[in-house]
Amino acid sequence: QITLKESGPTLVKPTQTLTLTCTFSGFSPSTSGVAVAWIRQPPGKALECLAITYWNDDKRYNPSLKSRLTITKDTSKKQVVLTMTNMDPVDTATYYCAHAIGGYYYDSNGYYYTYWGQGTLVTVSS
Amino acid sequence: DIQMTQSPSTLSASVGDRVTITCRASQSISSWLAWYQQKPGRAPKLLISKASTLESGVPSRFSGSGSGTEFTLTISSLQPDDFATYYCQQYNSFSDTFGQGTKLEIK
């Protein structure tokens, strides 16, 4: 059974750095074709992929946010951590981590999201 | 980036209705499209991958079709549990993108 759960602060101040942790179980992020991603959703708005770390340790970032994002994976702890610098009120959103599959081993060009955490609402306000 | 446009943004329907949601890509994405269902306060749930492959446990009243730039999600007979927001996602490349969502409301 695959599960993921996000943890981190619910309130951050503008200009601060946000650190979110995704703790997962039921799969290995080193399995070919598997990835873990961070996706956010501002209140009442659509979903936006922020960053993804792949089974082979490759990483990719949303181009518009790349300079502010870092994603790291700790397989032994079963955690994936996202840091986002210089937070702004427009970054207020629910942040999800998700298990993804795709690529060559799934006969796919990209990756899609099979299991999601419950999400954590992060508010950016002074 | 590939832009995904869903229509309509909001759809009002009744239990038992057949409904169709459309998702259009700004360029061809072959069949690399997924559909998700999201209920208020909940995480999205994967319904369909590769445009038409129903995920395990998803009721057969859901179906997906299309390729290239135009795709549809059809619910053959709406059930009370189906009222939610639906998103498409293209994964033609490593820069995946979502549609803006279609909210399915009770008429």
Side-chain angles (χ1 to χ4, degrees):
Chain A
Q1 178 192 3
I2 290 175
T3 65
L4 307 100
K5 187 172 184 179
E6 307 85 354
S7 60
T10 58
L11 179 65
V12 297
K13 290 180 167 48
T15 75
Q16 286 187 335
T17 294
L18 171 68
T19 300
L20 293 172
T21 300
C22 174
T23 303
F24 57 84
S25 64
F27 69 96
S28 169
S30 302
T31 300
S32 299
V34 170
V36 178
W38 283 96
I39 298 157
R40 72 177 178 180
Q41 185 174 38
K45 295 188 178 180
L47 300 156
E48 177 183 38
C49 184
L50 301 175
I52 186 166
T53 179
Y54 298 98
W55 60 278
N56 58 0
D57 294 333
D58 193 12
K59 303 170 186 179
R60 292 184 188 268
Y61 297 96
N62 184 312
S64 64
L65 296 165
K66 185 175 182 178
S67 64
R68 300 172 53 204
L69 296 171
T70 304
I71 190 170
T72 59
K73 178 174 59 178
D74 187 330
T75 302
S76 63
K77 289 185 177 179
K78 293 187 179 292
Q79 291 181 334
V80 173
V81 175
L82 179 76
T83 60
M84 179 181 288
T85 61
N86 194 24
M87 293 292 285
D88 183 272
V90 300
D91 296 314
T92 294
T94 296
Y95 288 75
Y96 296 99
C97 65
H99 168 278
I101 59 174
Y104 173 82
Y105 290 91
Y106 284 88
D107 188 28
S108 167
N109 277 12
Y111 282 66
Y112 59 96
Y113 309 105
T114 50
Y115 298 90
W116 298 62
Q118 63 191 22
T120 185
L121 176 61
V122 177
T123 301
V124 184
S125 175
S126 55
Chain B
D1 277 4
I2 299 174
Q3 306 303 314
M4 305 301 293
T5 304
Q6 289 182 233
S7 60
S9 296
T10 307
L11 179 58
S12 297
S14 302
V15 172
D17 284 354
R18 177 185 179 91
V19 298
T20 297
I21 297 169
T22 297
C23 181
R24 289 187 173 87
S26 60
Q27 65 188 69
S28 178
I29 58 170
S30 184
S31 296
W32 308 120
L33 186 100
W35 288 99
Y36 301 85
Q37 177 194 65
Q38 186 178 33
K39 296 180 179 179
R42 305 288 298 272
K45 172 188 173 184
L46 177 65
L47 299 176
I48 288 170
S49 61
K50 208 172 180 182
S52 61
T53 301
L54 204 64
E55 294 299 305
S56 176
V58 175
S60 59
R61 62 181 180 272
F62 290 91
S63 64
S65 66
S67 66
T69 61
E70 186 152 336
F71 302 85
T72 58
L73 172 70
T74 299
I75 308 172
S76 60
S77 178
L78 270 176
Q79 299 302 302
D81 192 50
D82 301 338
F83 292 95
T85 299
Y86 293 84
Y87 292 94
C88 61
Q89 175 223 357
Q90 68 79 17
Y91 55 101
N92 181 65
S93 68
F94 287 105
S95 295
D96 63 296
T97 47
F98 290 89
Q100 82 280 14
T102 294
K103 185 175 182 180
L104 182 51
E105 298 180 329
I106 300 174
K107 185 185 283 185

